[in-house]
């Protein structure tokens, strides 16, 4: 008799059984068994979908929260110290252990507010702030207002959430991209055609129990048409008009689209709410406190806690309050120099160069500068990460280009075009084998075919296999094969140029005539200043850098276009393996009909051509040429003048 313990160890369960087995008599019995299930809840579902969060990401999120909270408390303590020194700290603020040493300001501790102390409710608080914009208030009341400014500073710009930004196409060079089985995105489309569908659906909510018809819809965007269905009953009235819709696309394992559904975009998005609030502020010519006060007076239950305002709106209100109050309270505009120096030395007590610069700026700037720029709205500048960008594989002292750079995308176009060639097969009689055998021959694309594909890539972000096959007249009888492009893959167009031209619209031709590098300049302004200020503030560096490039247009148009660029374009931080200098050296050989080719490169090509024709080594050129290079040279003896060389061949010549 033997006792055997059996275990079944799964990812979220453990099973066990203890049996007694007599192998001689072939008898046995179960002594005990059981299982333990480890509940995973939604984590298991997320894991199976592939959207589970890693432990590092979870730790990073919590660390970021702790870091931001620490910085907020540091700003708060600095402001409390300044208000205390000026004698305008509200009475309910009482220190537990007095003012700490200058380099230990984080230890400043307040006592709990005493019971029975009168506190302002939301309505009274915003009424006080709104009053301070146009009328004078007491210094203690001003202290409450300044403290509230520090609590909510507003959205400063730079956030690039996937659900709020229209992202550029992924510039990964991987041809076999993973197909998204389910994709949801918001898109402004033109409604072309709406027709009744035979499919019906049951109403929900108030319309529960009623039956409605679905509609077949055809929309267009980015010069492409998309056909699908919708449950929306009012789209028929909007034929020929532009409308923002949520598009839901479902695909099968082969990547083929199985269904497209159009719906209304979700309006719970914080950015959409912020844009609506911004519109209300502009139309009413109001400050933040005035808008919130108006809403509270209309409905005291109005939700104000999670409303997002732009930081420049809070700053504008700060300026208005300060200007009004400084007319009555002389200390605000004529604060004694000794007080300012004392505050500056306390806030920035360090001996480093940066602390010294901050002290000097504080003393020079004055009280308003310290409170506004160095405390409440202080924003740490991001450290440059340029050293992390790789160096070029050919020009070792040069940094590689971003994938979204117009020059790289021009290079990518020709790289994709030139790597394609057609292999055909046919049966021929083999005298030696005394039977028919398959013979394979290569046919390279003509310059006309390459030019047609190139022109398509200048206006389309993607070009599918079927479209390329039509251009190159590929036979569909399985006797010809297109090398260099997978059936499921697509050629990538110059999406940066296409997007910029689309936003410029009718102004592109005018700007291009004045400056042929206009696209690259706009790209650089957007790319370099992605995190420099708010995309909604015309005076931020993010927007003003684009306005400077478009200054030849009128002021209103310039501002409108600059804001549109800043708000709608976010270039991914992905990089190629080549620098601008390397591409500028290689690209002429890859383009059609190159000019100014050096004699040295022409000599190299002639030597290689001679080697291919004779099979001999000329001028010490290696004879380990790839088959496609030999075939290309045999079929394109004048390629050095016609251009269209493959990247590997062109780079080796350079």
């Amino acid at each position: 008799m033997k006792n055997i313990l059996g275990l079944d160890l799964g990812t979220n369960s453990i099973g066990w059984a203890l049996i007694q087995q007599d192998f001689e008599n072939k008898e046995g019995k179960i002594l005990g068994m059981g299982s333990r299930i480890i509940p995973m809840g939604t984590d298991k579902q997320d894991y199976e979908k592939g959207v589970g969060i890693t432990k590092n990401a979870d730790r990073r999120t919590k660390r970021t929260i702790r870091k931001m909270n620490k910085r907020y408390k540091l700003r708060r303590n600095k402001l409390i110290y300044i208000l205390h020194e000026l004698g305008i700290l509200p009475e309910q603020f009482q220190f537990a252990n007095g003012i700490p040493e200058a380099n230990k300001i984080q230890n400043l501790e307040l006592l709990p507010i005493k019971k029975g102390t009168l506190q302002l409710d939301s309505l009274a608080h915003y009424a006080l702030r709104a009053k301070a914009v146009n009328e004078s208030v007491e210094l203690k009341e001003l202290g409450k207002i300044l403290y509230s400014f520090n609590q909510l500073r507003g959205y400063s710009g730079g956030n690039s959430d996937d659900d709020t930004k229209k992202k550029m196409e992924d510039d990964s060079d991987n041809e076999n991209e993973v197909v998204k089985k389910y994709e949801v995105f918001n898109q402004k489309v033109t409604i072309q055609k709406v027709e009744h569908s035979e499919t019906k659906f049951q109403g929900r909510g108030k319309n529960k129990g009623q039956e409605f018809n679905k509609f077949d819809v055809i929309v267009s965007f980015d010069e492409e048409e998309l056909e699908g269905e919708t449950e929306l009953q009012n789209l028929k009235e909007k034929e020929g008009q532009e409308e923002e819709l949520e598009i839901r696309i479902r695909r099968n394992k082969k990547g083929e689209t199985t269904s497209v559904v159009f719906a209304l975009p979700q309006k719970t998005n914080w950015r959409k709410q912020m844009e609506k609030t911004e519109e209300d502020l502009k139309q009413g010519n109001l400050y933040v406190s005035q808008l919130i006060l108006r809403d509270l007076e209309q409905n005291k239950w109005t939700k104000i806690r999670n409303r997002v305002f732009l930081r420049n709106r809070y700053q504008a209100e700060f300026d208005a309050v300060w200007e009004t109050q400084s007319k009555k309270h002389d200390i605000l505009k004529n604060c004694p120099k000794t007080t300012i120096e004392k505050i500056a030395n306390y806030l920035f007590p360090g001996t480093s160069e940066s602390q010294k610069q901050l002290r000097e700026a504080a003393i020079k700037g004055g009280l308003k500068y310290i409170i506004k720029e160095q405390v409440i709205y202080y924003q740490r500048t991001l450290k440059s990460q340029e050293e992390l960008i790789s160096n070029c594989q050919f020009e070792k002292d040069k940094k590689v280009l971003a994938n979204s750079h117009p020059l790289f995308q021009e290079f990518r176009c020709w790289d994709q075009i030139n790597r394609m060639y057609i292999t055909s097969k046919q049966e021929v009689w083999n005298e030696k084998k005394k039977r028919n055998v398959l013979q394979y021959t290569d046919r390279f694309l003509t310059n006309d075919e390459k030019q047609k594909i190139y022109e398509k890539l200048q206006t389309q972000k993607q070009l599918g296999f079927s479209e390329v096959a039509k251009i190159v007249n590929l036979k569909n009888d399985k006797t010809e094969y297109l090398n260099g492009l997978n059936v499921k893959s697509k050629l990538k167009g110059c999406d940066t140029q296409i997007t910029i031209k689309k936003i410029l619209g009718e102004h592109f031709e005018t700007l291009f005539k004045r400056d042929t590098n206009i696209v690259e300049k706009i790209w650089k302004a957007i790319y370099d200043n992605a995190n420099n200020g708010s995309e909604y503030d015309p005076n931020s560096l993010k927007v003003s850098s684009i306005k400077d490039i478009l200054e030849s247009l009128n002021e209103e148009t310039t501002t409108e276009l600059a804001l549109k660029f800043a708000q709608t374009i976010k270039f991914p931080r992905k990089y190629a393996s080549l620098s601008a200098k390397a591409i500028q050296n290689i690209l002429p050989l890859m383009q059609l009909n190159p000019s100014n080719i050096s004699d040295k490169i022409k000599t190299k090509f002639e030597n290689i051509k001679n080697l291919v024709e004779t099979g001999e080594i000329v001028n010490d050129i290696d004879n380990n040429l790839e088959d496609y290079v030999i075939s290309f040279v045999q079929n394109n003896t004048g390629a050095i003048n016609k251009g269209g060389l493959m990247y590997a061949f062109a780079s080796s010549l350079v």
Side-chain angles (χ1 to χ4, degrees), residues 203-404:
R204 293 176 289 275
K206 294 180 181 179
N207 300 316
K208 191 172 183 180
Q210 299 182 42
E211 197 172 59
F212 298 91
N213 271 89
K214 288 187 178 182
F215 290 85
D216 293 325
V217 185
I218 299 176
V219 304
S220 65
F221 63 94
D222 290 342
E223 299 181 1
E224 294 183 11
E225 285 192 350
L226 189 62
E227 189 173 348
E229 64 177 14
T230 184
E231 295 181 359
L232 300 175
Q233 302 295 300
N234 63 340
L235 279 193
K236 183 70 177 174
E237 305 164 6
K238 299 181 180 180
E239 279 188 345
Q241 300 178 20
E242 273 196 343
E243 185 76 11
E244 186 178 8
L245 296 175
E246 182 179 277
I247 303 175
R248 305 166 187 165
I249 301 176
R250 193 178 293 276
R251 302 182 180 90
N252 58 21
K253 291 182 179 179
K254 295 180 181 178
E256 300 166 344
T257 301
T258 56
S259 70
V260 178
V261 176
F262 301 107
L264 287 176
Q266 297 295 322
K267 294 297 183 183
T268 56
N269 185 291
W270 69 267
R271 189 180 291 269
K272 291 187 183 296
Q273 291 178 343
M274 181 191 69
E275 290 173 353
K276 173 65 171 61
T277 303
E278 179 67 10
E279 194 63 30
D280 291 342
L281 288 168
K282 285 181 180 177
Q283 289 180 355
N285 194 24
L286 301 171
Y287 291 105
V288 173
S289 59
Q290 293 172 336
L291 177 66
I292 295 177
L293 179 62
R294 186 192 71 180
D295 292 347
L296 285 171
E297 287 175 340
Q298 292 173 355
N299 177 11
K300 67 177 181 179
W301 304 113
T302 298
K303 188 175 182 180
I304 63 173
R305 183 173 180 79
N306 294 321
R307 290 180 73 171
V308 180
F309 293 88
L310 296 176
R311 181 168 296 178
N312 63 303
R313 286 290 177 182
Y314 281 110
Q315 290 173 324
E317 184 174 341
F318 180 97
D319 290 336
V321 170
W322 190 276
E323 184 179 355
T324 301
Q325 303 310 312
S326 61
K327 292 176 183 177
K328 179 184 178 183
H329 306 294
D330 189 60
I331 192 173
L332 298 182
K333 60 180 178 181
N334 295 316
C335 184
K337 188 175 181 181
T338 54
T339 304
I340 291 177
E341 288 177 348
K342 182 180 179 182
I343 291 172
N345 290 327
Y346 184 86
L347 297 183
F348 311 111
T351 57
S352 65
E353 188 62 31
S354 60
Q355 288 277 292
K356 183 181 177 182
Q357 290 173 359
L358 288 168
R359 276 198 304 274
E360 291 174 353
I363 295 170
K364 183 179 179 182
L367 186 61
K368 181 184 176 183
Y369 177 82
I370 295 173
I371 294 176
K372 181 185 175 185
E373 304 296 342
Q374 293 189 316
V375 178
I376 295 179
Y377 299 112
Y378 176 71
Q379 188 73 39
R380 290 162 52 89
T381 55
L382 294 175
K383 293 180 181 178
S384 173
Q385 303 295 321
E386 190 176 346
E387 70 276 3
L388 300 179
I389 301 174
S390 303
N391 289 336
C392 177
Q393 59 177 320
F394 296 125
E395 304 289 343
K396 302 296 184 182
D397 58 335
K398 301 291 183 182
K399 295 291 183 181
V400 295
L401 277 182
N403 283 9
S404 56

Side-chain angles (χ1 to χ4, degrees), residues 522-564:
I522 292 174
W523 171 87
K524 183 172 175 58
I526 297 171
Y527 194 85
D528 290 352
N529 299 298
N531 299 306
N532 291 334
S534 170
E535 60 269 29
Y536 296 93
D537 181 8
N539 298 317
S540 69
L541 185 58
K542 191 172 192 175
V543 180
S544 61
S545 61
I546 305 171
K547 286 173 65 178
D548 292 341
I549 298 168
L550 307 175
E551 62 182 357
S552 57
L553 304 175
N554 64 65
E555 179 67 25
E556 185 180 348
T557 304
T558 298
T559 303
E560 182 185 343
L561 289 173
L563 287 168
K564 194 170 183 180

